[in-house]
Amino acid sequence: MQTVIHVGLSGHATAFLLDEDGYGSLRRYFERARAGLARDPDRDEILRDLEQSIGEKLAVLPHAGGQVLAGREVDSVLAQVGTVDPGNGNGQARHAPSMRPRRFCRIEQGQWISGVCAGLAMRSGLRVGWVRAIFVLAAIFTSGLMVLAYLALVLALPVLQTRDEYEDMCRLSP
Amino acid sequence: MDAGKSGALRKGLLEFVVLAVVSSGRAYAADILQRLGDTEFATREGTLYPLLSRMRRERLLDYEWQESDSGPPRKYYRLTPNGRRQLAAFRTYWKSLTRLIDELGTPPCKP
């Protein structure tokens, strides 16, 4: 037995008859569109416009009048309408903050010696106390080799004044 | 030309192309899509509707509902005075850009 689903689309007085596949495709299309337009202030209006267009295209299919539309017919109409591209509609989406790669720096705010550990703590998300403890232990177990590594880091890493500066750099730098 | 680069350029220009299409008179979304259909700027509803809606928020376009013989009422878009100014400014800018690119391509005059 075939399942038939009656679907009402914005602006269209008569319901469309879809089989399960067709209904599934349509529902997934609108779920994706709704998610894509989540930041768009006119989301609901755009979704209604899309419903109306999809309805107009379904209505002119060869046997739309009263017959059940199959999944592939719905898919072909959805392909004509195209995936929703929120980037063009919503300026915010294009500038949405994204996770930037974090960098190694020395940070002078709260430094003990030169801020290497403070920088590594910011980079790794560990507490600065732990990072210092690891350095001290590593310096003991490597009989001073870690001290050389520390000095190399002092010379190699760029310096920032504050932790806020570090956060800004992560947010703004490409 | 590299498809990716020209694609990015077209995407940025689409807004102005839509302004130009709508400037010729009232246009329904399907008219705009059809007019652009066989050009470089062919696009689809999924892209056009979010764009039209942003342009309306920016008061470049406005629409009015009109009954249709074949189906539900349609939104007919037209330019606002602001949209007209934007289009005129864009045309001037575009001409100056093409002139600049032509000039940059030719060697400077020899003495």
Side-chain angles (χ1 to χ4, degrees), chain A residues 5-166:
Chain A
I5 298 155
H6 294 244
V7 177
L9 291 176
S10 174
H12 294 266
T14 50
F16 294 89
L17 307 181
L18 307 183
D19 72 3
E20 265 178 297
D21 289 345
Y23 175 69
S25 295
L26 194 65
R27 208 189 51 201
R28 280 192 299 279
Y29 178 88
F30 277 102
E31 276 166 9
R32 278 200 303 272
R34 184 171 286 276
L37 295 168
R39 290 159 159 274
D40 196 303
D42 294 322
R43 180 188 67 186
D44 294 340
E45 186 175 358
I46 296 169
L47 292 175
R48 279 199 299 276
D49 288 342
L50 288 167
E51 272 187 39
Q52 182 167 338
S53 282
I54 290 168
E56 282 169 24
K57 288 179 199 293
L58 290 174
V60 297
L61 285 177
H63 56 268
Q67 282 210 45
V68 180
L69 299 168
R72 62 186 147 68
E73 291 168 302
V74 175
D75 287 343
S76 78
V77 163
L78 294 177
Q80 284 174 45
V81 172
T83 318
V84 167
D85 176 3
N88 247 326
N90 182 9
Q92 284 175 338
R94 277 179 290 186
H95 306 299
S98 54
M99 280 307 291
R100 301 290 186 192
R102 312 199 114 208
R103 296 187 183 170
F104 287 106
C105 287
R106 288 198 282 130
I107 298 175
E108 292 186 339
Q109 182 182 17
Q111 68 184 34
W112 273 9
I113 302 171
S114 67
V116 167
C117 290
L120 289 181
M122 281 299 279
R123 169 66 179 75
S124 62
L126 290 172
R127 279 218 295 236
V128 66
W130 284 109
V131 179
R132 285 179 183 133
I134 292 166
F135 261 82
V136 171
L137 287 174
I140 293 165
F141 284 112
T142 59
S143 52
L145 206 62
M146 197 64 194
V147 178
L148 284 179
Y150 184 89
L151 290 175
L153 286 172
V154 172
L155 295 174
L157 296 181
V159 191
L160 292 177
Q161 303 292 318
T162 64
R163 285 191 284 268
D164 286 346
E165 253 179 59
Y166 184 83

Side-chain angles (χ1 to χ4, degrees), chain A residues 11-12 40-42 45-46 49-50 52-53 56-57 79-85 88-89 91, chain B residues 11 14 28 44-47 49-51 53-54 56-57 63 65 70-75 77:
Chain A
H12 294 266
D40 196 303
D42 294 322
E45 186 175 358
I46 296 169
D49 288 342
L50 288 167
Q52 182 167 338
S53 282
E56 282 169 24
K57 288 179 199 293
Q80 284 174 45
V81 172
T83 318
V84 167
D85 176 3
N88 247 326
Chain B
K11 190 172 169 157
L14 187 62
Y28 163 53
R44 294 180 292 184
E45 283 89 343
T47 302
Y49 282 130
L51 175 63
S53 142
R54 174 169 62 79
R56 192 179 60 87
R57 280 204 301 280
Y63 67 76
W65 288 99
S70 57
R74 295 167 169 184
K75 281 177 185 171
Y77 290 88

Side-chain angles (χ1 to χ4, degrees), chain B residues 35-109:
Chain B
R35 180 67 189 83
L36 297 178
D38 26 329
T39 70
E40 287 277 291
F41 292 97
T43 186
R44 294 180 292 184
E45 283 89 343
T47 302
L48 184 66
Y49 282 130
L51 175 63
L52 286 174
S53 142
R54 174 169 62 79
M55 290 168 75
R56 192 179 60 87
R57 280 204 301 280
E58 291 171 359
R59 302 192 187 287
L60 301 171
L61 297 175
D62 207 355
Y63 67 76
E64 56 188 36
W65 288 99
Q66 193 170 320
E67 293 299 322
S68 147
D69 301 332
S70 57
R74 295 167 169 184
K75 281 177 185 171
Y76 278 86
Y77 290 88
R78 61 189 156 75
L79 293 196
T80 61
N82 191 16
R84 264 174 218 295
R85 277 195 296 278
Q86 180 100 334
L87 178 62
F90 171 73
R91 285 193 159 130
T92 314
Y93 177 57
W94 185 251
K95 281 191 190 110
S96 74
L97 274 188
T98 43
R99 203 166 49 236
L100 173 67
I101 291 168
D102 287 346
E103 283 167 10
L104 290 174
T106 49
C109 297

